Amino acid sequence: MLAFARKFFRSPSSKRRRGGWWSATTTHHTPVEDAIGVIAGTVLTALGITMLSHLGFMTGGTAGLAFLVFYATGWNYGLIFFVLNLPFYALAVARMGRAFSIKTSFGVGLLSLMTAFAPQFLRFDYIDPLFGAMLGGLLIGFGLLALFRHRASAGGVGILAVYLQDRFGWRAGWTQMITDLIVLCGAFVVIQPWAIVYSIIGAVVMNLFLGVNHRTDRYLAT
């Protein structure tokens, strides 16, 4: 038993020598850790989007563009979201590397499926509009943070935000906030002004959370 314990709890350096790229270090996640992080981030993001959709609100970024098309046409949200993300994959493949592209593709595909089928397995009885807007924005913020920290994104603007942070040091949260506010300006043609106010509150909560918590000088793992 003692010999087994020594083998199991061997030093991290020896594990890295034997495990290679699979082993975690202070600056590197294992594939299993990445998978868990991407799945968790996708679930939280999908829950926040479903909550905002139930309330008739919006969010920003590519998800917000999908909301604009969804409210204008009534088409399936998950399918719209998936199609809108396709052009951004070129940037991911060209600039962000294969690992980022694979993890992001997996996250976007899973998020598209979850939001497409969410009404069949998740329904809300009552949510206060202000509370729902803030909680929905916070859930999406947590989800995106998990994705960013595992070198992935929810696609679209998230890919651009991560690229700009890596290339120029621009905070991903602030990039997301600017694009979100631009998208929300287009919401005046599809939803009521009072819903836009709540949507802006949710977007501000989400992006303030990201702006404060997603910093390369505080989190170095990839």
Side-chain angles (χ1 to χ4, degrees), residues 20-44:
W21 64 274
W22 185 271
S23 300
T25 69
T26 55
T27 58
H28 179 71
H29 294 120
T30 68
V32 173
E33 291 170 341
D34 279 337
I36 293 172
V38 171
I39 291 173
T42 301
V43 170
L44 290 172

Side-chain angles (χ1 to χ4, degrees), residues 98-159:
R98 183 174 61 179
F100 178 88
S101 302
I102 292 173
K103 287 183 285 187
T104 296
S105 298
F106 172 71
V108 170
L110 182 60
L111 183 59
S112 300
L113 287 174
M114 293 190 68
T115 52
F117 294 102
Q120 299 182 21
F121 59 83
L122 181 64
R123 290 182 175 88
F124 300 99
D125 182 23
Y126 172 76
I127 306 175
D128 177 78
L130 178 59
F131 177 79
M134 297 176 67
L135 181 58
L138 189 61
L139 285 169
I140 296 174
F142 266 109
L144 293 179
L145 180 65
L147 292 171
F148 290 165
R149 294 249 171 121
H150 287 269
R151 295 293 298 165
S153 79
V157 175
I159 295 174

Side-chain angles (χ1 to χ4, degrees), residues 10 67 149 185:
R10 68 176 67 246
F67 267 125
R149 294 249 171 121
C185 288

Side-chain angles (χ1 to χ4, degrees), residues 12-200:
S13 60
S14 63
K15 287 185 179 180
R16 285 196 294 272
R17 287 195 297 269
R18 296 188 62 183
W21 64 274
W22 185 271
S23 300
T25 69
T26 55
T27 58
H28 179 71
H29 294 120
T30 68
V32 173
E33 291 170 341
D34 279 337
I36 293 172
V38 171
I39 291 173
T42 301
V43 170
L44 290 172
T45 303
L47 181 58
I49 289 175
T50 302
M51 184 176 295
L52 294 179
S53 177
H54 169 79
L55 291 166
F57 300 161
M58 289 188 53
T59 187
T62 313
L65 290 174
F67 267 125
L68 287 177
V69 179
F70 169 71
Y71 287 136
T73 65
W75 297 343
N76 184 276
Y77 178 88
L79 179 60
I80 297 169
F81 180 77
F82 180 80
V83 172
L84 287 177
N85 272 288
L86 293 178
F88 289 94
Y89 289 142
L91 175 62
V93 173
R95 299 294 184 180
M96 304 304 295
R98 183 174 61 179
F100 178 88
S101 302
I102 292 173
K103 287 183 285 187
T104 296
S105 298
F106 172 71
V108 170
L110 182 60
L111 183 59
S112 300
L113 287 174
M114 293 190 68
T115 52
F117 294 102
Q120 299 182 21
F121 59 83
L122 181 64
R123 290 182 175 88
F124 300 99
D125 182 23
Y126 172 76
I127 306 175
D128 177 78
L130 178 59
F131 177 79
M134 297 176 67
L135 181 58
L138 189 61
L139 285 169
I140 296 174
F142 266 109
L144 293 179
L145 180 65
L147 292 171
F148 290 165
R149 294 249 171 121
H150 287 269
R151 295 293 298 165
S153 79
V157 175
I159 295 174
L160 181 63
V162 172
Y163 169 71
L164 291 176
Q165 177 161 292
D166 287 351
R167 182 67 177 82
F168 301 105
W170 300 355
R171 296 270 189 91
W174 303 138
T175 301
Q176 192 91 25
M177 177 178 286
I178 293 172
T179 56
D180 287 356
L181 292 177
I182 294 174
V183 170
L184 288 171
C185 288
F188 283 95
V189 299
V190 293
I191 61 177
Q192 297 296 319
W194 64 269
I196 295 175
V197 173
Y198 286 121
S199 298
I200 292 175

